[in-house]
Structure formats: structure tokens, C-alpha cells
Amino acid sequence: MIWYPYQQMKTMKTPFKIIDAEGVYLKTQERAMIDSVSSWWSVIHGYKHPALNEAIKTQVENFSHVMLGGLTHEPVEKLAKKLQSYLPGDLDYSFFSDSGSVAVEVALKMALQYYVNRGEMQRTKVLSLTHAYHGDTFKTMEVGDDEDYHFILEAYGESKNVIHVPTKIPALEEAFEKYHHELNCLIVEPLLQGAGGMRMYDVGFLKRARELCDAYDVLLIFDEVATGFGRTGNRFVADLVLPDILVLGKALTGGYIGHAVTVANKKVYDGFYGDEPEKALMHGPTFMGNALACSVALKSIELFEQENYMAKIRKIEEVTRREMAGFADPRVKEVRIMGGCVCVEVYDASDLKGYQQFAYAHGVFSRPFLNYMYAMVPYIITEEELLKVLGTMKAWFC
């Protein structure tokens, strides 16, 4: 029996059974529906893309996977080299893993060990944001701040090693002044906090964060698992403000295979580099650098570059802003739009009960959560298809 995610198994509704998928459409036995959430924000090129399919087929004819312990291979070498040239600044050192959560765990482990390697054993604290979500593994839950996902940690009591601050500069400055000598890193979902409620904030906060991290010698981590590859309207938020460690996942492989990467700058990498075995990063996911994942990731980045995806994202945002302009309802608290994301927040979560089935009846797959109805569409969506998604969202309130 399947144990489904984020569900009370006793009361859950029967999930839609997908028998095929192509372009922006998921297909059940009864109908085709536009996937308005890109399979948890990852399928940016849509389904069954011929170039991505071919990348998988070509690689599988050679081999599907070999471990990176004592071995290497061309796809992982090419992907690491591509990321080195593709990412901003000196984010040059790629540590691969099999999921976004694990990649964030690696980033947090890097930050802690960076200072341990320097003999600064007191730097055990992490500064994180309120409403943060970084994954469901244990350390990512600890740095997260979402009681709907992470209430289980109440069994341990309040964490002594994580401080949460709102996205307000005075609060950030106060936290640095108070805790800077104990901090190893500040971790953020830059500009857009996803599962914590599609909350959006200003780049000025990140710029000040960079200044404070520099002033107090604290590492800055950007969790761009969700925001990377254009979702905020920026290629990466790291293009605007440069972190010390960048985490990518989801869209890295175009949603084809679970894979992620933790990318460090030279300062961080050099903190592990030397003759002492104990200073090495002792971490190694079995499927890190998977050859199929690396091959499809390379092709995904190529498509993103060659087909001018940033222009596609600008068009999605333009149409969304036009169509949602003036939309209001007494039940709606706020409409938020950024890049390839739109969120309608309601006051009462019960006002979204039944929306998923309503959307399905209108040919759209949606998965609202808590008080949030949102869309993060594949970037290949046509204007007509996007209008259908947005129209369905608005129609629910009529």
C-alpha cells in the first residue's frame, strides 16, 4: 500500500490517477488537465519533452549510474563544469545529492564544519527566517518554521541552535548584533518563501543580509531549490545578491529525476581543502551525480538558455498581472505575484475546500494548501492555457 505525502491516510480522497502526460497536460482516464503547479514546481519544460527524453535514452544505453566514491564519469564532470560557468561569482564547487532536502542538509553541514575546521567550536547557531521551509529531513525541519509541517519537533522542545527572524532589516540587524559570535550561517529562501505561504519580500533585505554576513564573518546560504531557474523572475536570486553557498534542485533536471546540488564558493571550499583527513566533508549520498540525472540536467539548462526562458517567464508574469489586476473578493486577503508564481491567500482555509475538484472539473490540476491557492506553471505554457488556469482560480470565488 502506498503511504502518500502530507495526508491523513484514513480520510484522504482518492488521488487522480495519471496515465499519460505531455506538454503542460496531465491525463487521467477521464480528462486532460493543465498542471498548474508543475509537479511541485519542478517540471519547467513540461512533460515528455523530446530533447529531455532523448538525453535520458542516450545515457541509459551507456550506463544509468555509478557511485562517485573512487569513480567519476563524463555527465557529472560536464554538469559541474557547466554550473561553474553558469552560476554567478565564484560559486564553482558542486556537491551533488539526490533531493533538495538532502542538499540543504549538506549546506548546513558545510557551514558548521567550515568553522569547526577553523577551531571555532562555538559557532553552532543558524539564523533562519520565520515561515521558513527548507525540507522535511530533521535538520531542515529544525531550521524551518512551519508548525503545519514540523510540529513533530515539539517533542524535542525549542531548539537552542536556531534563531528565526522576520524579513525585516531591523530584526535582522538585532539578531546579528546579539548572536554573531555564535552564528555559522544565515539560510534563506531568497525573495519567495514557498511552502511557508508563498510569501514575497524585497531584495533590500538580502543585500543587508550580505553586508552583515561579511561584517561578522557568517556564511550566507541561499536555498534556491524552489526559486532557482527563473521562478522569481530572476534566473537565480544569486544573480542579484551573491551567497557563499547555493542550493539547487527541483527544476535542475526539468523535473525528470530527483537530483540536487549544493554549490560552494572558493572560501568555503578552501576551508575543507588540506592534508588533514578530518577536515574532509564526510558526506556521500549513494545516488549523487547520477549519470541519468546529470545528462538530463545538462539538456534542461541548454533548453533554458537556447529558448530564452527568461522571456517566457516575463510573459507569464505580464499576463498574470494583467488578468489578476482588480481581482478582489471579501474572502481574499491578498493576491501576490512574482515571476512565475501567483498566490491568492484567503482569510479562512475552509474557503478553499473543494477547489481541487472544482479545478479538475475545469481541466486544471491544482493543489492548494492551508490558506493558499497558487499556480507555478510550466514555462512552456501558452497564453491561452495560462488564461484557463487564472480564470479557474478567479471563477472559484464567483
Side-chain angles (χ1 to χ4, degrees):
M1 178 178 178
I2 300 171
W3 196 335
Y4 287 93
Y6 304 125
Q7 296 281 355
Q8 172 46 259
M9 294 297 292
K10 184 176 181 179
T11 59
M12 71 172 284
K13 295 180 180 178
T14 303
F16 303 120
K17 187 172 183 177
I18 302 304
I19 60 172
D20 195 6
E22 187 168 5
V24 300
Y25 290 93
L26 297 168
K27 300 176 183 180
T28 66
Q29 196 69 49
E30 296 79 25
R31 70 178 68 238
M33 51 182 173
I34 299 170
D35 182 1
S36 72
V37 297
S38 303
S39 273
W40 271 332
W41 327 336
S42 64
V43 185
I44 59 174
H45 308 290
Y47 296 93
K48 208 185 294 184
H49 193 291
L52 299 181
N53 284 7
E54 187 58 34
I56 293 282
K57 291 174 184 177
T58 300
Q59 181 56 43
V60 81
E61 289 298 323
N62 295 322
F63 58 90
S64 297
H65 177 69
V66 297
M67 61 187 276
L68 281 192
L71 302 172
T72 190
H73 54 81
E74 188 175 41
V76 74
E77 291 172 348
K78 283 186 173 180
L79 181 56
K81 186 176 181 180
K82 179 61 182 177
L83 289 170
Q84 184 173 356
S85 65
Y86 192 60
L87 296 175
D90 63 342
L91 291 168
D92 294 340
Y93 303 91
S94 292
F95 189 97
F96 294 100
S97 55
D98 44 9
S99 75
S101 293
V102 173
V104 175
E105 293 275 357
V106 171
L108 295 167
K109 188 173 180 177
M110 278 183 182
L112 177 61
Q113 189 176 341
Y114 174 80
Y115 291 99
V116 169
N117 285 357
R118 294 187 353 181
E120 299 182 45
M121 306 297 288
Q122 81 282 3
R123 286 187 178 263
T124 57
K125 286 183 168 53
V126 174
L127 191 59
S128 182
L129 301 182
T130 55
H131 309 294
Y133 176 89
H134 295 287
D136 294 328
T137 51
F138 266 73
K139 191 63 180 180
T140 62
M141 285 196 294
E142 186 183 17
V143 299
D145 182 43
D146 194 314
E147 62 184 14
D148 294 294
Y149 294 97
H150 305 147
F151 62 88
I152 184 63
L153 291 188
E154 292 175 6
Y156 292 130
E158 186 175 354
S159 172
K160 297 178 181 180
N161 292 316
V162 179
I163 303 105
H164 292 100
V165 295
T167 52
K168 306 294 182 185
I169 290 176
L172 183 68
E173 292 174 335
E174 182 180 347
F176 267 92
E177 184 175 352
K178 184 175 181 180
Y179 297 107
H180 64 87
H181 59 290
E182 298 177 88
L183 292 176
N184 60 64
C185 71
L186 163 63
I187 183 169
V188 300
E189 300 160 90
L191 297 187
L192 172 64
Q193 295 181 275
M198 303 298 165
R199 299 169 189 271
M200 302 169 187
Y201 61 96
D202 187 75
V203 70
F205 179 87
L206 297 176
K207 291 178 178 178
R208 184 58 179 144
R210 179 71 273 176
E211 292 172 351
L212 290 165
C213 285
D214 289 340
Y216 291 110
D217 190 22
V218 173
L219 298 180
L220 179 59
I221 301 174
F222 277 9
D223 174 357
E224 293 217 52
V225 170
T227 62
F229 296 98
R231 190 56 70 179
T232 67
N234 306 282
R235 198 181 63 127
F236 304 99
V237 184
D239 290 330
L240 306 180
V241 177
L242 191 63
D244 299 294
I245 301 174
L246 175 67
V247 184
L248 301 174
K250 291 190 183 291
L252 176 65
T253 66
Y256 264 60
I257 301 178
H259 206 224
V261 63
T262 307
V263 190
N265 66 10
K266 189 175 189 304
K267 179 178 79 171
V268 174
Y269 180 79
D270 284 348
F272 293 77
Y273 192 78
D275 296 320
E276 307 94 327
E278 65 273 13
K279 288 191 175 181
L281 179 62
M282 299 302 289
H283 205 90
T286 300
F287 294 102
M288 67 181 297
N290 173 264
L292 295 178
C294 291
S295 297
V296 77
L298 280 162
K299 183 57 67 173
S300 176
I301 294 171
E302 181 183 310
L303 289 172
F304 195 95
E305 288 182 295
Q306 293 183 353
E307 298 188 10
N308 196 4
Y309 268 53
M310 292 309 301
K312 297 179 191 293
I313 295 162
R314 286 192 291 272
K315 182 64 175 179
I316 289 169
E317 182 171 8
E318 174 191 322
V319 171
T320 303
R321 290 192 181 279
R322 182 191 73 208
E323 293 300 312
M324 301 303 285
F327 170 68
D329 185 273
R331 293 163 289 182
V332 173
K333 180 179 180 180
E334 187 178 32
V335 177
R336 297 188 287 275
I337 300 167
M338 178 182 285
C341 175
V342 56
C343 176
V344 177
E345 181 180 355
V346 298
Y347 289 101
D348 189 336
S350 66
D351 287 327
L352 298 181
K353 188 176 181 180
Y355 175 69
Q356 186 176 60
Q357 194 63 42
F358 175 86
Y360 177 71
H362 285 75
V364 173
F365 174 68
S366 179
R367 196 176 185 278
F369 64 100
L370 303 174
N371 295 51
Y372 312 104
M373 170 195 290
Y374 77 96
M376 285 190 179
V377 297
Y379 299 149
I380 64 164
I381 197 167
T382 66
E383 182 169 343
E384 181 182 4
E385 291 162 341
L386 180 57
L387 291 176
K388 185 173 184 178
V389 171
L390 299 172
T392 301
M393 295 173 75
K394 292 190 291 185
W396 173 251
F397 296 97
C398 293

